Amino acid sequence: MKPFALPAAVLAVFFYSHAAAVTLEDCSPHFSTNTQIIWMAPTNNLQRTFWVYKKMPRVFSANTISNAIVLASFQSKGFPRPSTNRIVIWADHIPEEPEPPYFEITPDSGEFSYNLGDRSPELATEYFKDAAIVERAWDALGKLGVHRGEFVKTNIASYGEAGVYLPRQIDGIQVNDESEGFSFQQFGRPIRMRSFWLSQPNLERTQKRPTASAREIVACIRAFKTASPPDGDEPDYFKRIKSFSRSKRLIITKITPYYNEGIYGEVPTNGELPKIVLPIAQLNAVADFGESNVPVRLLSPIISSEVIRLLGNKNK
């Protein structure tokens, strides 16, 4: 069985805790055959079909690159021309400094970024995360020459850090896992830029696939194919996962579609970048243990072809 691909925050917990590859089943609650699964999530607003996308490189325009260089205050380093090549521009080194400030463009993944490196403040409390920083991030995104209609104006701190994250949306559906979007961090008085990062690869529609039924998704739950992501650095994550085997009922109250880079349940080999973008679902549910109730969040396929693929692999 192959290891699985889930949000970076999830993988960080798994690979930090275990030397061996962690499987999808390891991170999925093993509800007993006696656990009653009750579907109460409204599905009237779900699309009947979803597009599957092929992830493509992006060569950023000269205007976008120049505005990003200005945002990074790297004007003195010059303005690189649009290219398919990876470009890294370093600030002047301080002796024995492992990572000075840098600006990087990676067309293959459709990303560019700036980071203050080792000159960044150590404490997350020093970074702005109020309404004003959300507005500055939204304004910066517009000045970069990017179509802001592809992003959601929200305030989600990056995993383990402060700041603002504006997720990308595809067909009006948010991208999961902070894998595509705009991250923006500022700090201090006067205000200084700590980092920004844009991930917006080109996407090419490939196939339109039917939406999975509630019965199909429940079958995935029964087959232990619906991972429950950890809550941050949750220390007793696997203990919590195992505890769900004692639940008497699982009540599914909400289903929310997201787009996700890569194939749910698999990791690209040899460190390759994900090549497709697929829809998945987040299920909000309540596990009833009889004497207590516990909220639980599950990740599931949301198109029928992915259900068939996962259930076909359940014995591998």
Side-chain angles (χ1 to χ4, degrees), residues 3-29 159 226-241 264 267 299:
F4 70 103
L6 277 179
V10 180
L11 289 175
V13 172
F14 295 157
F15 289 109
Y16 178 81
S17 303
H18 294 265
V22 177
T23 67
L24 179 59
E25 286 79 1
D26 292 331
C27 308
S28 300
Y159 179 69
T226 52
S228 178
D231 183 12
D233 295 323
E234 184 179 355
D236 296 323
Y237 171 71
F238 289 104
K239 181 179 178 181
R240 176 174 67 84
I241 292 298
Y264 175 73
V267 170
L299 299 180

Side-chain angles (χ1 to χ4, degrees), residues 18-315:
H18 294 265
V22 177
T23 67
L24 179 59
E25 286 79 1
D26 292 331
C27 308
S28 300
H30 285 215
F31 295 104
S32 164
T33 54
N34 295 323
T35 302
Q36 184 181 9
I37 299 180
I38 303 171
W39 188 284
M40 296 184 65
T43 57
N44 294 340
N45 294 329
L46 277 183
Q47 301 173 197
R48 294 186 177 182
T49 59
F50 288 88
W51 279 105
V52 174
Y53 287 86
K54 182 179 180 181
K55 187 178 174 184
M56 307 288 287
R58 177 184 290 271
V59 177
F60 293 101
S61 70
N63 179 63
T64 295
I65 292 173
S66 63
N67 288 340
I69 289 288
V70 170
L71 183 60
S73 300
F74 265 36
Q75 299 94 312
S76 63
K77 300 296 179 179
F79 297 87
R81 295 179 179 179
S83 170
T84 58
N85 298 325
R86 176 174 176 261
I87 297 171
V88 180
I89 303 172
W90 296 93
D92 296 331
H93 284 248
I94 295 175
E96 299 181 0
E97 182 178 34
E99 186 181 67
Y102 66 90
F103 177 81
E104 179 178 9
I105 305 173
T106 51
D108 281 353
S109 57
E111 299 178 359
F112 64 72
S113 62
Y114 163 78
N115 196 297
L116 194 57
D118 293 315
R119 303 176 200 177
S120 301
E122 294 182 0
L123 299 177
T125 53
E126 296 188 41
Y127 299 110
F128 297 120
K129 50 184 178 181
D130 55 9
I133 190 66
V134 175
E135 292 301 325
R136 287 199 292 272
W138 190 247
D139 182 62
L141 187 60
K143 290 179 179 178
L144 289 171
V146 174
H147 180 43
R148 290 189 294 187
E150 288 191 32
F151 296 81
V152 180
K153 187 178 181 182
T154 185
N155 181 16
I156 303 175
S158 299
Y159 179 69
E161 298 181 356
V164 175
Y165 173 69
L166 307 175
R168 188 181 188 180
Q169 58 181 351
I170 302 169
D171 300 332
I173 297 171
Q174 186 173 315
V175 175
N176 186 42
D177 176 28
E178 301 188 8
S179 56
E180 296 183 20
F182 182 59
S183 175
F184 187 87
Q185 292 185 324
Q186 290 183 325
F187 68 96
R189 301 288 185 201
I191 295 174
R192 295 184 62 192
M193 180 65 65
R194 188 267 184 180
S195 68
F196 61 82
W197 166 81
L198 176 73
S199 177
Q200 191 186 23
N202 284 322
L203 300 175
E204 180 181 293
R205 284 179 170 176
T206 58
Q207 295 176 313
K208 184 179 280 190
R209 297 183 183 176
T211 302
S213 66
R215 179 177 295 180
E216 288 177 309
I217 294 174
V218 169
C220 286
I221 297 173
R222 292 289 189 194
F224 317 137
K225 301 290 185 179
T226 52
S228 178
D231 183 12
D233 295 323
E234 184 179 355
D236 296 323
Y237 171 71
F238 289 104
K239 181 179 178 181
R240 176 174 67 84
I241 292 298
K242 291 178 180 178
S243 72
F244 287 113
S245 63
R246 297 183 286 101
S247 60
K248 300 181 181 299
R249 297 191 304 166
L250 178 71
I251 305 168
I252 302 167
T253 58
K254 184 179 180 181
I255 179 171
T256 306
Y258 288 91
Y259 269 100
N260 188 67
E261 286 195 354
I263 299 174
Y264 175 73
E266 295 187 1
V267 170
T269 58
N270 301 320
E272 295 179 356
L273 294 172
K275 296 180 179 178
I276 65 172
V277 177
L278 281 167
I280 63 170
Q282 175 178 288
L283 306 177
N284 292 87
V286 175
D288 179 3
F289 289 86
E291 69 282 359
S292 63
N293 294 330
V294 176
V296 58
R297 183 164 55 101
L298 302 173
L299 299 180
S300 161
I302 199 173
I303 52 178
S304 290
S305 58
E306 286 296 284
V307 172
I308 293 169
R309 177 184 64 82
L310 284 170
L311 295 185
N313 290 340
K314 65 181 179 181
N315 295 320

